[in-house]
Amino acid sequence: MPTDQPAGRSRWLALAVLSAQTLMIVLDQTIVNVALPAIRDSLGFTQSNLSWVVNAYLIPFGGLLLLAGRLGDLAGRRRVFLAGMAVFTLASLLAGLAWNPETLMAARFLQGAGGAASTAVALGMVVRLFPEPAERAKALGAFSFVQAAGGSIGSIAGGVLTQALSWHWIFLINLPIGVAAGLVALRVLEADRGLGLGAGADWLGAVLVTAALMLGVYTIVGVDSHGWTSAHTLVLGAVSLVLLVAFLLRQGRARDPLLPLRIFTSRGLSGANLTMALLVSSMFGFQFLVVLYLRQVLGLSAQATGLAMVPIAVVIAVVSLTVSPRVATRFGDFRVLLAGLVLIGGGLAWLARVPADGGFAADVLGPTLAMGAGFGLAMPALMGLGMRDARPEDTGLASGLFNTTQQVAGALGLSVLAVLAATRAESVTGVRPEEALTAGYHLAFWVGTGLVAAAFVVAALVLRPGVAARRTGESGANVPDRALPQL
């Protein structure tokens, strides 16, 4: 029977392909930001419509992850991954050749759909490729680095390509990479048969969950324009929740559910998703707000701001690729996750004290390095803890669920923290504009600190290996329970 576990060096080459494709997907979420003014001037976008260059990608990406993950389990993860790669690569070509706003937005929508298909199953494939704990720790370290640092790399790459060539190349660069990765993937990713579409062909459930998630992401990304208390946000948000509830009710009754509710009985998977939601909501907001602080308060140029984000990407790379696998193998994912959360929370609390007349080296570099180290530790450990209890037939679904949690929580956290910062800044009077803005950032960073503290509490109570063992009958750590300290 064919498997999805090639032997020897082929597994590491397969990991390289999965990581390369994932990096392209993550890059495309941020690489366009720097090029937006050039795209506006070239294609004739209005200022109000320009945000749809980003939103047209995010909505299908966030909305289709869960469905794509389950399709991977049913139709075969390799098949879904390759199909997603093909759609994403061809859509990138169309985006690079776009001749008007409508063409570019259609191409971005297709990019989001293809990106969702390949990303949703990638984590599940990594877990299946590396069943041995030490190797899995190394693989998850590499994979989490790609996801964590891709945003920073995208901002830098977008500026370089736009300035050196043109905005078209931020999309066209995906073509040779996608073709090369696809050819290698055909050789190193062995076919898996999947359960068959009949094992989970709940098409009504698929429509409900996709509509709920797409509408939810659309509502969140529109908060900047409409506000949290507007009729637009409240009505569409309510409809999204109704659709999601209807989907869950449907799954409880469907003969072949798209999302078997038994998956949530896994304490590790449910706890890891909740921890992920809290962590990512704070980190997405941090990345956005620290850039605003550097630009609007410290007065750094766009190029200097991009370079200022390089150290955190480097630290994430070093820690996730070299330190995290070693300490996870020795101390277990649970301990490493808690240590990472402490570093992230400490870094955010440190940032919450930055002055209006500060400097990058004195006030920003230290906390961002601490957060980068913490994220490099926490993300691989969290992925390992969450995916460990997933059944082999559910790894695609669990992978899609993880990615959906990241996207929705990240968008929601960014919107909430950005609104809190802006509202606080507007309420401060009688001071310089820089001081008012800094007061807003202080509030947002303190709220982010609270979210990370909540993630620590959830992880400590729910993901503790001894608790997971009593609930599932198997240990969820790389070390015996007795080696762990009592909390």
Side-chain angles (χ1 to χ4, degrees):
M1 179 182 294
T3 70
D4 60 348
Q5 296 182 19
R9 295 180 180 177
S10 294
R11 289 186 303 152
W12 295 101
L13 190 54
L15 174 65
V17 170
L18 295 172
S19 298
Q21 175 65 7
T22 301
L23 179 61
M24 281 203 306
I25 303 303
V26 176
L27 286 177
D28 251 61
Q29 297 183 43
T30 58
I31 199 171
V32 301
N33 292 340
V34 178
L36 286 177
I39 293 173
R40 178 194 60 205
D41 297 339
S42 175
L43 297 183
F45 273 92
T46 64
Q47 191 62 39
S48 60
N49 289 336
L50 191 60
S51 64
W52 282 99
V53 177
V54 177
N55 294 343
Y57 180 93
L58 293 178
I59 291 171
F61 186 83
L64 293 171
L65 281 167
L66 189 62
L67 174 60
R70 188 53 174 166
L71 285 177
D73 292 329
L74 302 178
R77 287 176 287 276
R78 177 179 182 267
R79 186 178 300 167
V80 171
F81 179 81
L82 292 173
M85 283 188 68
V87 171
F88 179 83
T89 303
L90 292 174
S92 296
L93 174 62
L94 178 60
L97 301 177
W99 56 90
N100 58 33
E102 292 76 19
T103 306
L104 182 58
M105 287 191 288
R108 292 289 285 166
F109 188 93
L110 290 174
Q111 275 190 306
S118 57
T119 301
V121 297
L123 177 59
M125 296 175 78
V126 171
V127 170
R128 295 278 289 166
L129 282 166
F130 298 93
E132 196 274 323
E135 287 191 334
R136 178 179 291 185
K138 293 179 182 178
L140 289 178
F143 192 75
S144 64
F145 158 68
V146 167
Q147 291 193 316
S152 299
I153 297 172
S155 298
I156 299 169
V160 171
L161 289 172
T162 301
Q163 185 171 348
L165 299 172
S166 73
W167 67 264
H168 299 276
W169 283 95
I170 65 175
F171 302 116
L172 294 177
I173 194 65
N174 291 331
L175 188 61
I177 298 174
V179 171
L183 292 175
V184 176
L186 286 171
R187 294 178 60 87
V188 300
L189 297 180
E190 296 189 13
D192 57 313
R193 295 182 179 180
L195 301 174
L197 292 177
D202 178 19
W203 301 114
L204 176 58
V207 171
L208 288 172
V209 72
T210 303
L213 292 174
M214 280 194 174
L215 186 58
V217 175
Y218 170 76
T219 303
I220 293 170
V221 298
V223 167
D224 285 343
S225 302
H226 301 280
W228 281 102
T229 58
S230 67
H232 179 276
T233 300
L234 295 177
V235 172
L236 293 184
V239 173
S240 175
L241 288 175
V242 169
L243 289 172
L244 187 59
V245 171
F247 166 71
L248 293 175
L249 293 175
R250 166 72 181 176
Q251 298 314 284
R253 298 181 178 183
R255 179 179 179 181
D256 297 309
L258 180 72
L259 176 63
L261 297 183
R262 59 174 165 73
I263 196 171
F264 294 109
T265 62
S266 167
R267 194 180 184 96
L269 183 65
S270 298
N273 270 278
L274 180 54
T275 304
M276 177 78 76
L278 294 166
L279 173 59
V280 171
S281 61
S282 67
M283 287 297 291
F284 269 55
F286 146 75
Q287 289 180 320
F288 177 75
L289 293 173
V290 77
V291 167
L292 291 182
Y293 173 76
L294 294 173
R295 292 295 307 277
Q296 298 180 352
V297 177
L298 300 188
L300 271 63
S301 66
Q303 184 176 3
T305 300
L307 293 175
M309 300 305 292
V310 171
I312 187 173
V314 172
V315 170
I316 291 174
V318 171
V319 174
S320 60
L321 295 175
T322 61
V323 179
S324 180
R326 295 178 182 178
V327 295
T329 302
R330 180 173 180 179
F331 298 107
D333 286 334
F334 177 71
R335 279 180 169 179
V336 174
L337 171 60
L338 295 187
L341 291 175
V342 169
L343 285 172
I344 295 170
L348 278 169
W350 190 353
L351 275 176
R353 301 173 62 86
V354 292
D357 55 353
F360 170 72
D363 301 296
V364 178
L365 181 60
T368 56
L369 291 180
M371 294 177 68
F375 207 64
L377 290 173
M379 282 298 286
L382 189 54
M383 289 180 180
L385 288 168
M387 294 295 294
R388 182 166 296 150
D389 294 337
R391 300 182 182 182
E393 65 270 22
D394 290 337
T395 53
L397 176 60
S399 174
L401 184 61
F402 255 106
N403 283 286
T404 301
T405 298
Q406 290 184 58
Q407 291 300 312
V408 175
L412 184 61
L414 173 58
S415 296
V416 170
L417 294 181
V419 169
L420 286 174
T423 303
R424 172 59 177 160
E426 291 172 359
S427 69
V428 177
T429 59
V431 299
R432 292 182 296 128
E434 293 82 3
E435 293 176 321
L437 289 171
T438 302
Y441 300 144
H442 285 174
L443 175 61
F445 290 142
W446 278 124
V447 172
T449 304
L451 291 172
V452 176
F456 183 95
V457 172
V458 171
L461 295 178
V462 180
L463 297 179
R464 180 179 175 82
V467 175
R470 289 192 294 272
R471 292 294 300 269
T472 65
E474 56 182 90
S475 176
N478 297 327
V479 294
D481 291 344
R482 62 179 178 273
L484 295 169
Q486 297 298 315
L487 296 177

